[in-house]
Amino acid sequence: MDRLIVKGGARLKGTVQVKGAKNSVLPIMAATLLGEGQSVIQGSPDVRDVHTLLKVLDALGVRGGRDADGTVRLEVQDAGPTLAHYDLVRQMRASICVLGPLLARRHRARVSLPGGCVIGVRPIDLHRKGLKALGAPTTIEDGYVVGDAPRLHGASVFLGGPFGSTVLGTANTMMAATLADGVTIIEGAACEPEVADLAAFLNKMGARVEGAGSPLVRIRGVERLRGATHRVIPDRIEAATFMVAAAMTRGDVTVEGVCTEHLGAVIDILRSAGAEVTTSDSACRVVGPEKLAPVDVTTLPYPGVPTDVQAQLMAMLCLADGISVVTEKIYPDRFMHVAELQRMGADLRKEGPAVIVNGGAKLSGATVMASDLRAGACLVLAGLVAKGETRVRRIYHLDRGYERIEERLNALGAEITRDDDGEEARDKPKDGEE
Ligand code: EPU
């Protein structure tokens, strides 16, 4: 199994291009189930989740692939299959986003339940609520969510939950509503830019979606959708990861190809921590301070601080001169990185859904384990500033969402190598990865 060996001490300098957003391209790929003819999706990152979804879609009769330049071409060639098997869904919980399109276009679906994972429980009650409102009630049978929906109709539905709205639940409901009879109103919709990007793609397919990116989305159903060409938005989480790395290493890094307006909360935290951030519409330059200041961070739905950057920010705050409180409001259990950071010498105390970071402790290299994608990024960043060598194991998590991160950090001056730690047989997860 691959691991990364990170040598600490480098100050990152230079320019890095951000890739297309993983969390945009996945639901957009699923949306191709709704249309006739080929779709061309440009700017997809070369990450494992994209390849996993290609397999899920292939099993559903959607044929195509990803070119080396990041273009994904997909076309429905067999509209018969309706099963998304556990063996594939367990590898990537985002596979659930085929549920809405299957019910809308094939009127039947049997999709494995994603189950929980290291970042906490991953319920789909709000997905089911949205689809039920449209006339597609589902049941749970043998670990699968199963639905039959001869005809979908427009409806009003509120999708807010105890932790805010749901990104993929909004995506599923929105996709299903594009082919329903009449008008659907989603209130309490997720406002993440990836939802707006999906709506932009659906509209290019011929859908009539208004208001995506706001809490109120209105969809007028149409008879049919056709394939479309679309370039996905830049990955704001990847961009934020590089920006935090620059701030931590007293670096000077320009992240190019971003959509700066998606990064407001992260830029605000970095500036509060003492980094100098200068921006244009499509680039952010981050110059790290000699000494970082502590900052309290609370993750929230967009436009708040993304939960997907919480772990990376915690690594940064370990270096700050004083106490920071990191509170997780989306996934209250998303703290598996805490124990690993402690192994590197961080002074952290977990109190319910918050972690008190007593900054300033010197981090030192250790062998640590990536438990999920963002925890993996956090540990690589911690390794960049730790004394000595940090060996980050189970980086298949990292490869799910970051394209060749070590090569791109090395181009900025980091010293990271990848090798096989020879532990495959003992450590290979039996069932389910994050
Ligand atoms: N929730 C419910 N009921 C539901 C669905 C969600 O209570 O039916 C809760 C969740 O438990 C959580 C909150 O609502 O507390 C938000 O979950 P959401 O449904 O928005 O998460 P998701 O759509 O499954 C996407 C991203 C995640 C990201 C979250 C939150 C994709 C493919 N995944 O997941 O990304 O953390 O939104 O922003 O878009 C990652 O990239 O590392 C990642 C985990």
Side-chain angles (χ1 to χ4, degrees):
M1 208 177 292
D2 280 4
R3 67 175 174 180
L4 291 181
I5 302 172
V6 187
K7 204 181 239 183
R11 293 174 87 140
L12 300 189
K13 279 197 170 45
T15 299
V16 59
Q17 290 290 333
V18 82
K19 303 286 174 184
K22 164 184 87 81
N23 289 348
S24 257
V25 79
L26 298 175
I28 286 174
M29 286 167 67
T32 62
L33 279 161
L34 293 162
E36 290 157 26
Q38 194 185 60
S39 283
V40 179
I41 306 160
Q42 295 155 335
S44 80
D46 190 9
V47 297
R48 201 153 57 90
D49 278 4
V50 166
H51 296 285
T52 304
L53 190 57
L54 283 172
K55 286 186 209 157
V56 174
L57 290 172
D58 188 68
L60 291 169
V62 186
R63 302 280 136 73
R66 181 186 180 282
D67 298 343
D69 71 353
T71 304
V72 170
R73 289 169 215 277
L74 289 170
E75 179 165 6
V76 176
Q77 284 182 3
D78 176 4
T82 53
L83 171 72
H85 198 272
Y86 177 63
D87 284 346
L88 285 171
V89 175
R90 73 181 185 190
Q91 293 177 31
M92 188 187 68
R93 285 160 180 83
S95 311
I96 193 69
C97 60
V98 301
L99 180 63
L102 283 177
L103 287 169
R105 187 72 179 92
R106 302 189 183 176
H107 305 290
R108 170 168 293 200
R110 189 176 173 84
V111 178
S112 174
L113 275 175
C117 69
V118 288
I119 71 174
V121 288
R122 303 289 287 270
I124 59 155
D125 55 311
L126 297 170
H127 300 234
R128 296 179 66 202
K129 179 181 178 188
L131 295 169
K132 184 175 177 194
L134 298 179
T138 51
T139 53
I140 305 296
E141 293 169 21
D142 307 324
Y144 282 73
V145 53
V146 179
D148 266 299
R151 198 154 192 90
L152 295 188
H153 52 74
S156 283
V157 62
F158 179 78
L159 287 186
F163 300 100
S165 190
T166 161
V167 175
L168 292 179
T170 301
N172 257 330
T173 308
M174 195 163 85
M175 288 190 278
T178 59
L179 291 177
D181 289 338
V183 174
T184 296
I185 307 281
I186 305 176
E187 289 182 71
C191 301
E192 272 67 7
E194 293 76 15
V195 172
D197 202 28
L198 171 63
F201 178 68
L202 291 169
N203 285 342
K204 287 179 186 172
M205 295 179 84
R208 296 178 63 185
V209 182
E210 289 168 14
S214 83
L216 191 98
V217 181
R218 185 173 185 277
I219 305 123
R220 178 177 289 280
V222 296
E223 279 291 313
R224 60 175 50 85
L225 297 175
R226 56 185 179 273
T229 298
H230 183 72
R231 175 169 289 279
V232 297
I233 56 170
D235 196 315
R236 63 197 168 98
I237 307 301
E238 188 191 74
T241 303
F242 284 118
M243 290 163 71
V244 174
M248 286 175 75
T249 58
R250 296 172 296 139
D252 181 352
V253 173
T254 301
V255 186
E256 285 187 344
V258 302
C259 189
T260 301
E261 69 181 45
H262 296 162
L263 288 161
V266 172
I267 291 171
D268 187 55
I269 297 280
L270 292 177
R271 285 187 176 141
S272 304
E276 201 184 297
V277 186
T278 41
T279 62
S280 67
D281 286 351
S282 63
C284 290
R285 178 180 177 199
V286 179
V287 180
E290 282 307 311
K291 194 74 207 161
L292 286 154
V295 192
D296 290 344
V297 171
T298 301
T299 65
L300 287 169
Y302 188 81
V305 178
T307 171
D308 294 341
V309 194
Q310 179 254 110
Q312 299 91 312
L313 288 171
M314 190 182 296
M316 179 183 88
L317 294 171
C318 289
L319 311 179
D321 206 5
I323 291 179
S324 309
V325 180
V326 177
T327 308
E328 177 55 67
K329 295 263 191 175
I330 309 293
Y331 293 112
D333 296 322
R334 194 177 201 176
F335 286 125
M336 299 298 279
H337 44 286
V338 168
E340 303 301 302
L341 286 173
Q342 283 169 333
R343 300 193 73 242
M344 298 178 71
D347 184 354
L348 306 171
R349 198 174 72 225
K350 187 168 173 308
E351 294 279 350
V355 170
I356 298 160
V357 183
N358 189 6
K362 288 265 176 287
L363 299 185
S364 57
T367 297
V368 288
M369 191 97 85
S371 53
D372 82 307
L373 167 56
R374 309 303 172 186
C378 150
L379 296 171
V380 170
L381 299 197
L384 289 175
V385 293
K387 187 166 180 301
E389 221 173 64
T390 299
R391 292 160 297 278
V392 186
R393 300 180 57 208
R394 299 207 173 175
I395 53 145
Y396 57 84
H397 287 298
L398 208 60
D399 294 335
R400 286 188 39 222
Y402 291 94
E403 181 175 326
R404 290 186 288 280
I405 194 165
E406 75 277 18
E407 286 175 22
R408 293 157 75 211
L409 286 169
N410 286 348
L412 297 172
E415 281 186 69
I416 308 177
T417 50
R418 180 186 283 253
D419 72 2
D420 187 332
D421 63 9
E423 297 280 356
E424 185 130 15
R426 201 177 70 209
D427 284 347
K428 199 163 178 72
K430 279 190 271 312
D431 57 357
E433 302 171 353
E434 162 16 48

